[in-house]
Amino acid sequence: MMDTFLLSRIQFAANISFHILFPTITIALGWVLLFFRWRFARTGDGVWMDAYMFWVKVFALTFALGVVSGITMSFQFGTNWPGFMEAVGNVAGPLLAYEILTAFFLEAVFLGIMLFGARRVPGWLHVTATALVAIGTTMSAFWILVLNSWMHTPQGFELRDGVVHATDWWAIIFNPSMPYRLGHVLLASGLTVAFLIAGVAAFRRLIGDRQAGSALQLRLGLTLGAVLIPLQILMGDLHGLNTLEHQPAKVAAMEGNWETGPNVPLLLFALPDEEARTNRAELAIPNGASLILKHDPDGVVPGLNDYLAEDGTPLHPPVAPVFWAFRVMVGLGMAMLVLSWAGVWLIRRRGGADALPRPLLWATATMTFSGWGATLAGWYVTEIGRQPWLVTGVLTTEAAVADVPPAMVLSTLVAYLAVYSVLLAAYVGVLIHLARKATAGDPSLQAVPPSGLARAVPAE
Amino acid sequence: MIPLDATTLPVIFAALMGAAILLYVILDGFDLGVGLLLPLATPDERDRMIGSIGPFWDANETWLVLAVGLLLVAFPAAHGAILTALYLPVAVMLVGLILRGVAFEFRAKAPVAQKPIWDRTFFAGSLMTAMSQGFMLGLYIMGLDWTPGNLAFALLTAAALTVGYSFIGATWIILKAEGALQRKAVDWARGGIWGMILGLGAVSVATPLVSDRIFARWFTFPEALLLAPLPAMSLLLIGLLWVALRHLPTRGDQFAWFPFAAASTLMTLGFAGMAYSFYPYVVPERLTIYEAAASPESLTIILIGTAFVLPVILAYTVLAYVIFRGKATVLRYD
């Protein structure tokens, strides 16, 4: 029988992994919708309204999933991790309160106007509501990432009787890892949406959609991806250097490096073995890690063996999950780079997205949810990489867990997992259904040839 | 100017949290009630019922997030004590809220053949949420101990709150619907008013019996006299509701607003009575708001923000209700 601590960790990981899938779409999709809405207002071209009408449905569905899975998170603090708020509530509390007050209500109220108010409010107010929803989702990301970053790199507080008291709010909000983490997550959201839009559009092209709308969305998604991925690689590098400075044990686990020293290779493949404290089956690029982290082949990279207690208990995070999650994230990022640049290059060469070869369409459709994969892998790197700490140097994860019978945690965990699996399947099913419906609205697929003036009718 | 310190801040935050809970119970109460009444309606009526709450439900649910958020940030010690004691009903409620919230979207976007499944999910989610909230209310009143007697009482309040929510849901539909659906809603409200009476009655009888302290609060002179308006007004409102439901709907749709207004006021009165009983405890008879409060520095920081932001939130919430005033229609995105 597993213990309450491990089960609670699995439960929190399951809940937050399910949750992050949806905000990571809505944060950037809100801005993309605003762009569609603005282009339609400027050009009057129906193709932009079609794009808006298609993606606003996805947005509404995604938003609802994000809201309900987020509520679960706010209760989990109390049900499973009461020690967290008791120890650091004086810092975490105000940050969470500001998120609710400045973001949740804003997005929730104006979402109603954005979705259902088009006929009831003037155009400018509808555009404003769309903008406020986008601002709300981004504000929400800001506050929660401030708190998350503070848990990684805490400052601006003092400990009195084991309880954290805030002393400098400026230092708390602008803690050392916050700007990098926020940038990294916002870019990840942009990339997730870029490949989601491109992937769904590619799927529509593959099943016979010949409308200008799907070609436009395909081009738009791939272009957005091609622009954002180099920025993300740069931001990831900066974030990694920041982590090296503040959480060296995490970087040591990411690199699978056991001994501190110069000329550390970049491991492309390895099986980290924590028992033997070494790697098996290494495939490495000499000096690679030193070059990336210190921009110098002789640069000294921290090793995991520096983080051992006197009795040999590891004070560093579990190595294999961090090591592998990091490689999944970087691998997906590389795949995004290759695909989006190849796509944009082919679009320019062939004079349009409607002339893209089928293998590239297949590859793009396969990558529809690549942003989810990379986002989750990235979160696993940073969150597992913080262990055994919940708040670095202040509170261990084990000290915060609730004293609840394991059977209770297990039964609720099973219930959540069952609900999440069904909802995830239903979500992807609805996306496919909406894509098919939009394709079926293609006049060129209908039996009676439409007149030359007919415009693609948005499928409802 | 009231000083912001360890004696005043907990009271201010307890009041804010109470306001958030009350707003949640009324606002999401009618959303959940509409979900509970869904199986009684025809498919076409269901679309209009859901249309009447579509633009609001998300913001309404946010009051629950604010309430639990305030408990979390202002009374961290109580947050842990209450939520670990209510571990299972909280999990049931969360799954219920998830199902209800997603069914909203899926029923309109999934293939038409699946719509009945999502309508049933909508009902099931609303039912799980209402029952678990009523159960938690009962257990909280009894002091959060899982004894057979307390559980029996919690099951009673679970049933009563569920019927109470469907009652306020029916009054919302009376306000937002017309024609056959409105007449049906009047029937539903007539059937549901019993739940409201039973619920208020059970809580009123049980609360003073839980502890001598609460009993003394209600039945000593002269406080008892000052409190008399609370039960008196409740009885008056129930009487007026009874009469109104016999005569609604009227020609020209006058007084369609009255049942909803009266139901909201009843919930407010009941809540005020409970708040009076339990003050100054946040965990009944165990932990006061002063003992459980976070540090004054942190509370001050939150309060400053709240003072600026809460009026804005209330303003744009009112704006949304004004924009979507009048009889509800089927929801459209264009």
Side-chain angles (χ1 to χ4, degrees):
Chain A
M1 184 88 193
M2 283 192 275
D3 63 349
T4 300
F5 176 54
L6 185 60
L7 284 166
S8 297
R9 283 188 64 192
I10 296 172
Q11 179 159 334
F12 198 84
N15 284 329
I16 206 157
S17 297
F18 182 72
H19 174 66
I20 189 63
L21 301 178
F22 305 105
T24 205
I25 289 177
T26 50
I27 292 165
L29 191 53
W31 293 104
V32 172
L33 283 174
L34 185 63
F35 174 73
F36 289 158
R37 188 73 183 72
W38 171 75
R39 290 298 292 166
F40 177 67
R42 280 286 300 270
T43 64
D45 188 345
V47 79
W48 293 108
M49 203 57 199
D50 289 356
Y52 178 86
M53 291 305 291
F54 181 88
W55 286 102
V56 80
K57 292 192 195 94
V58 177
F59 184 83
L61 178 64
T62 314
F63 195 93
L65 279 153
V67 166
V68 293
S69 56
I71 292 178
T72 316
M73 304 307 316
S74 62
F75 278 89
Q76 288 257 310
F77 288 133
T79 50
N80 293 59
W81 305 98
F84 176 70
M85 286 312 279
E86 278 161 28
V88 303
N90 287 323
V91 165
L95 298 178
L96 290 170
Y98 273 82
E99 183 183 12
I100 297 168
L101 289 168
T102 63
F104 286 174
F105 279 105
L106 190 72
E107 52 188 11
V109 171
F110 285 100
L111 181 72
I113 299 173
M114 171 185 162
L115 292 182
F116 308 119
R119 284 161 181 262
R120 289 176 178 256
V121 299
W124 64 267
L125 182 53
H126 190 244
V127 177
T128 308
T130 311
L132 286 172
V133 170
I135 292 170
T137 54
T138 311
M139 289 271 273
S140 173
F142 171 78
W143 287 115
I144 203 69
L145 285 166
V146 165
L147 173 54
N148 180 274
S149 299
W150 183 84
M151 289 161 65
H152 283 273
T153 53
Q155 64 174 29
F157 68 97
E158 63 184 22
L159 276 171
R160 285 182 234 148
D161 305 324
V163 173
V164 162
H165 288 261
T167 53
D168 181 353
W169 281 103
W170 191 261
I172 288 170
I173 293 174
F174 294 95
N175 65 77
S177 64
M178 189 280 278
Y180 303 100
R181 196 181 313 276
L182 179 66
H184 202 43
V185 168
L186 291 182
L187 284 168
S189 172
L191 284 164
T192 303
V193 167
F195 284 90
L196 179 69
I197 292 176
V200 170
F203 174 73
R204 284 171 61 180
R205 304 298 296 182
L206 282 170
I207 58 172
D209 194 318
R210 292 290 165 266
Q211 295 165 98
S214 56
L216 174 90
Q217 291 172 37
L218 181 57
R219 184 171 58 115
L220 192 127
L222 286 173
T223 310
L224 187 61
V227 170
L228 293 182
I229 190 74
L231 296 174
Q232 182 68 311
I233 291 170
L234 181 68
M235 183 58 85
D237 181 52
L238 293 172
H239 193 187
L241 295 180
N242 179 267
T243 309
L244 177 65
E245 187 181 342
H246 295 278
Q247 295 173 292
K250 186 194 289 184
V251 173
M254 282 155 66
E255 299 296 346
N257 184 40
W258 298 92
E259 286 299 336
T260 303
N263 307 97
V264 173
L266 175 68
L267 301 177
L268 298 178
F269 183 93
L271 298 171
D273 184 343
E274 269 194 64
E275 294 291 312
R277 302 200 67 77
T278 183
N279 297 326
R280 289 182 283 121
E282 276 189 12
L283 177 67
I285 300 175
N287 298 338
S290 288
L291 268 172
I292 290 173
L293 289 164
K294 297 287 182 175
H295 301 171
D296 171 9
D298 295 325
V300 174
V301 172
L304 291 158
N305 288 340
D306 287 5
Y307 306 95
L308 288 175
E310 302 266 312
D311 62 351
T313 319
L315 300 175
H316 57 73
V319 183
V322 176
F323 180 86
W324 277 110
F326 182 66
R327 268 141 197 81
V328 169
M329 176 186 77
V330 172
L332 282 168
M334 293 301 144
M336 288 175 171
L337 179 72
V338 171
L339 177 71
S340 61
W341 282 29
V344 170
W345 183 72
L346 279 170
I347 288 170
R348 292 184 72 98
R349 230 179 85 130
R350 299 195 174 192
D354 43 2
L356 282 176
R358 283 183 79 83
L360 192 106
L361 291 179
W362 274 110
T364 311
T366 313
M367 291 279 281
T368 304
F369 297 107
S370 56
W372 277 3
T375 302
L376 283 177
W379 274 112
Y380 294 157
V381 172
T382 201
E383 297 297 289
I384 301 174
R386 190 188 51 217
Q387 305 303 324
W389 297 104
L390 185 54
V391 180
T392 307
V394 178
L395 179 71
T396 60
T397 311
E398 195 157 13
V401 74
D403 182 22
V404 190
M408 219 138 92
V409 188
L410 183 64
S411 56
T412 50
L413 172 63
V414 170
Y416 286 127
L417 287 178
V419 170
Y420 291 163
S421 317
V422 171
L423 292 183
L424 208 53
Y427 179 82
V428 176
V430 164
L431 268 186
I432 294 171
H433 171 68
L434 289 175
R436 283 189 194 282
K437 234 166 61 162
T439 301
D442 184 344
S444 71
L445 292 179
Q446 276 149 21
V448 185
S451 75
L453 290 172
R455 188 176 69 74
V457 183
E460 178 44 57
Chain B
M1 183 70 198
I2 307 163
L4 296 178
D5 56 30
T7 53
T8 54
L9 281 166
V11 182
I12 294 171
F13 274 88
L16 280 173
M17 189 172 77
I21 295 174
L22 178 63
L23 274 169
Y24 172 78
V25 169
I26 294 173
L27 295 176
D28 208 29
F30 73 70
D31 296 337
L32 290 166
V34 168
L36 290 164
L37 295 168
L38 221 50
L40 304 176
T42 65
D44 175 55
E45 289 168 344
R46 286 177 195 167
D47 286 348
R48 270 189 292 152
M49 285 163 69
I50 288 179
S52 77
I53 54 177
F56 311 116
W57 76 273
D58 190 351
N60 291 347
E61 204 175 87
T62 307
W63 291 103
L64 177 68
V65 181
L66 181 64
V68 74
L70 285 171
L71 178 64
L72 182 83
V73 305
F75 307 106
H79 181 256
I82 293 173
L83 290 186
T84 46
L86 298 175
Y87 194 93
L88 284 181
V90 164
V92 174
M93 176 186 76
L94 291 173
V95 172
L97 285 171
I98 291 173
L99 293 178
R100 189 271 303 248
V102 300
F104 237 107
E105 297 294 334
F106 277 125
R107 73 183 292 282
K109 293 173 183 70
V112 181
Q114 289 175 14
K115 197 168 176 179
I117 300 174
W118 290 111
D119 278 346
R120 278 199 286 279
T121 309
F122 197 107
F123 167 74
S126 303
L127 184 68
M128 285 166 77
T129 307
M131 295 278 287
S132 53
Q133 286 177 357
F135 184 89
M136 287 190 265
L137 172 72
L139 208 60
Y140 178 86
I141 290 173
M142 303 308 274
L144 295 171
D145 289 321
W146 289 69
T147 62
N150 291 356
L151 291 184
F153 180 74
L155 288 174
L156 175 71
T157 50
L161 190 71
T162 305
V163 184
Y165 277 166
S166 49
F167 176 71
I168 195 169
T171 64
W172 174 255
I173 301 170
I174 294 173
L175 171 63
K176 298 297 276 187
E178 46 203 336
L181 178 58
Q182 192 184 34
R183 284 195 294 279
K184 254 186 177 174
V186 173
D187 281 342
W188 294 335
R190 279 184 205 144
I193 196 166
W194 285 106
M196 201 83 176
I197 296 168
L198 184 72
L200 284 172
V203 171
S204 309
V205 171
T207 313
L209 299 179
V210 173
S211 87
D212 296 339
R213 188 187 60 81
I214 299 176
F215 190 89
R217 285 217 142 173
W218 282 94
F219 299 103
T220 45
F221 205 73
E223 286 91 340
L225 211 60
L226 291 169
L227 285 169
L230 226 63
M233 265 182 77
S234 304
L235 287 174
L236 179 70
L237 274 173
I238 288 172
L240 285 174
L241 265 173
W242 200 275
V243 176
L245 290 176
R246 287 176 66 102
H247 292 93
L248 282 171
T250 57
R251 252 182 257 272
D253 204 36
Q254 286 158 315
F255 297 106
W257 56 270
F258 177 75
F260 179 69
S264 307
T265 314
L266 267 175
M267 285 198 166
T268 311
L269 291 171
F271 190 82
M274 269 195 60
Y276 174 78
S277 302
F278 285 102
Y279 177 82
Y281 287 93
V282 59
V283 183
E285 311 300 315
R286 262 188 263 169
L287 200 60
T288 68
I289 55 173
Y290 305 101
E291 293 159 355
S295 81
E297 300 97 298
S298 292
L299 291 179
T300 309
I301 285 281
I302 304 172
L303 190 61
I304 293 168
T306 310
F308 285 101
V309 180
L310 204 56
V312 180
I313 291 173
L314 290 172
Y316 59 64
T317 303
V318 170
L319 173 73
Y321 278 89
V322 170
I323 287 172
F324 296 102
R325 69 189 175 278
K327 297 300 180 186
T329 49
V330 175
L331 295 172
R332 306 173 54 105
Y333 279 176
D334 56 346

